[in-house]
Amino acid sequence: MSDTAKQPQQPAERPVPTSADVARLAGVSRATVSYVLNNTSAVRISEPTRVRVREAAEELGYVPHAAARSLRAGRTRIVLLPSGHIPVGPLYSRFLNELQGALRRLDYTVVQYGSLGLGADDAARAWAELRPVAVISLGETELTAQGVELLKRSGARAVVTLGPHRVEGAHSLLMDQREIGRCAVGHLLERSHRRIGVVVPSEPGLELFSTPRLAGARKAVAGTDAVVEPLELAYEEESAAALARRWRGLGLDAVFAYNDEYAMLLMRALQDAGVEIPGEVAVVGADNLLLGNLLRPRLTTVNIDMVAGRHLAELVDVAVRDPSAVGERRDLMGASLVKRESS
Amino acid sequence: MSDTAKQPQQPAERPVPTSADVARLAGVSRATVSYVLNNTSAVRISEPTRVRVREAAEELGYVPHAAARSLRAGRTRIVLLPSGHIPVGPLYSRFLNELQGALRRLDYTVVQYGSLGLGADDAARAWAELRPVAVISLGETELTAQGVELLKRSGARAVVTLGPHRVEGAHSLLMDQREIGRCAVGHLLERSHRRIGVVVPSEPGLELFSTPRLAGARKAVAGTDAVVEPLELAYEEESAAALARRWRGLGLDAVFAYNDEYAMLLMRALQDAGVEIPGEVAVVGADNLLLGNLLRPRLTTVNIDMVAGRHLAELVDVAVRDPSAVGERRDLMGASLVKRESS
């Protein structure tokens, strides 16, 4: 804190320039300022007047107010992406980045907006205040039919939900995390494993993914003589070492470790405890990260084919133009096993 | 695409309800609607009238328009966080999440807004249109003194830049990535290494970090008999294998591998090519990821002490309340070496 210095100059606070100030300086009406700065071609304004208005705006440092403009237009180009507080992995980050980039190229303004701690309907109300033309809900806040209705009444043309369930009134794009658990555990069953651990991360926020993955694992063993055992694990070496210490008492012959990062953590702890992989226990991750290929044995994983962000952006754009053109979709996520050495 | 079904019901488009509609239904003036829904206590309105207005708003599905409200208030509570298109690592993601959470708890609306492909001054103009009360620039778009001035003229009370350079008129919080390269290579010099490779990722967007890290490495060897050799590497096994194949021809005895992920990738490729670590070549990463501790040998790394998101949020809040209270700061990022087995 010793290296703190006051800023050399701090301008006295001046009022924010308005279009009225520009009009006064240019000697024209406010309407003329608006026509010139919004490039309206419907009204004839002489070039010298246009130049005068632009120079006055420049001199005063005036920029139009997006809020005012959206009020006049009645509808924004805002696509609201409720912003996450989930510690998402690299796969999901890349998807979000790609989605945002693609929406921007389609000339939408992507706004991420937090609704931490709000219930579903309060969140929908907060989002509606921004008058988005579309809302993409990624499942952190479960939208209700009422929330969707409210958003639509406030001008949203497309309310798109990605998640395991349909939401009435929304464009439901069904992405079912259960498929990942089913795929991993299905593979372990084929390889004759019968007592299968399923890692459930203890980090808050991940239930959104871990609960359906566990449910998918349970579904895979239903009707067989195999069992699934949930295993809580924090993303810390101590937690993994503790689980490894009591491992042999659990009598498990395989584990689906939630994702590749947890799998790498657990695999190392098991190896350090002298448990042989895959001889004594088979390990499967998910996400198909490059890093899983760097460990020895190489990590078997579930590859998740997520809809491309670009493709989802196009779906949103179609829905905004014609809300009836996009229906329920189930083809946006796939899971396939990548067999390597750890299983 | 076969699993596509039209939505069962698609309501005909109705106009977005306005406060005038609420006023008409409740049989009151628009001003009364505004007083009731904004909970203004300055005006006396009977409870039955309040109830009538709220019921009318409910029935019509009316929510106030945030843009309209910010126009009336003259100033928003928006903190603009220009949104990234950089493939950031987990450390930086966590910092951004924490910053956003902390700003929300301080009652700011955090809006992330993309400016992909815009020049610095055009980006500043686009940001100014949103009339943010504060802008936090994380260095992707280099703000100029003109951009800062424009934002301030549009009502921003705090323009905070995080990066290696001061920006005139802004609150400059200096975070110098060079320190990371200097720390890693300083350690290698102490261990008597003299021909030091520095990995430069070929993925676009990372120059923001890799260029100053390389500069810091060069600074560390200046005035010594050691040399620094930049090594381009893509985050792919093939690229790492190609580098490993020509490794012995390079005559290097150590490498600072940009960060832990690139270090893990390169270390595995070198091991697979029969290069011994640390015997033949010492490897240092950066970020102090948990995963680096899972490889054998355990990865030496640079731990980056980034300002806590919560702490930065408080600085922004202080600057919004009193712009003269926060000066230039240099104490917001530190680098320290974590010696493990790979060096």
Side-chain angles (χ1 to χ4, degrees), chain A residues 42-101:
Chain A
V43 182
R44 251 196 139 97
I45 295 167
S46 74
E47 195 48 35
T49 304
R50 286 183 188 274
V51 170
R52 214 158 67 235
V53 168
R54 287 204 195 95
E55 284 177 352
E58 182 82 11
E59 186 178 332
L60 293 170
Y62 171 77
V63 287
H65 192 319
R69 211 154 49 182
S70 83
L71 278 177
R72 284 194 301 272
R75 171 168 293 151
T76 67
R77 288 287 289 175
I78 290 176
V79 175
L80 193 67
L81 207 56
S83 88
H85 43 278
I86 287 182
V88 294
L91 186 77
Y92 203 68
S93 295
R94 197 165 59 225
F95 163 73
L96 285 179
N97 278 346
E98 200 187 302
L99 172 62
Q100 288 184 60

Side-chain angles (χ1 to χ4, degrees), chain A residues 77 79 99 102-109 133-136 157-160 171 173 309-326:
Chain A
R77 288 287 289 175
V79 175
L99 172 62
L103 284 166
R104 275 182 220 127
R105 283 189 295 276
L106 288 166
D107 203 29
Y108 292 98
T109 300
V133 72
V135 175
I136 304 175
R157 287 178 61 88
V159 179
V160 176
H171 291 102
L173 310 181
R310 183 184 40 74
H311 183 55
L312 178 56
E314 283 160 13
L315 270 180
V316 170
D317 188 46
V318 169
V320 165
R321 288 163 196 272
D322 177 5
S324 70
V326 178

Side-chain angles (χ1 to χ4, degrees), chain A residues 3 15 54 96 104 109 112 139 170 175 187 198 216 284 321 343:
Chain A
D3 207 358
R54 287 204 195 95
L96 285 179
R104 275 182 220 127
T109 300
Q112 283 186 274
M175 291 177 82
H187 164 73
V198 174
V284 179
R321 288 163 196 272
S343 70

Side-chain angles (χ1 to χ4, degrees), chain A residues 7 18 33-34 36 50 60 64-65 69 98 126 163 165 170 181 192-193 210 217 221 252 254 265 276 295 321 329 333:
Chain A
Q7 294 290 103
T18 64
V33 171
S34 165
V36 171
R50 286 183 188 274
L60 293 170
H65 192 319
R69 211 154 49 182
E98 200 187 302
H165 307 297
S192 304
H193 296 283
S210 63
V221 298
L252 301 172
L265 175 65
E276 219 207 315
L295 292 192
R321 288 163 196 272
R329 293 278 293 265
M333 202 193 74

Side-chain angles (χ1 to χ4, degrees), chain B residues 116-191:
Chain B
L116 206 69
L118 293 178
D121 287 340
D122 285 340
R125 190 171 300 272
W127 299 340
E129 289 202 3
L130 295 174
R131 296 289 190 272
V133 71
V135 175
I136 304 175
S137 166
L138 297 161
E140 289 188 59
T141 306
E142 292 271 357
L143 270 176
T144 64
Q146 289 72 31
V148 173
E149 175 65 17
L150 182 78
L151 284 163
K152 289 193 170 174
R153 290 291 292 146
S154 304
R157 287 177 61 87
V159 179
V160 177
T161 61
L162 272 81
H165 306 297
R166 294 189 57 238
V167 178
E168 203 189 311
H171 292 102
S172 301
L173 310 181
L174 300 176
M175 291 177 82
D176 193 345
Q177 295 279 330
R178 282 176 302 189
E179 191 52 34
I180 296 161
R182 201 153 44 200
C183 176
V185 172
H187 163 73
L188 292 170
L189 289 175
E190 272 173 30
R191 317 269 310 172

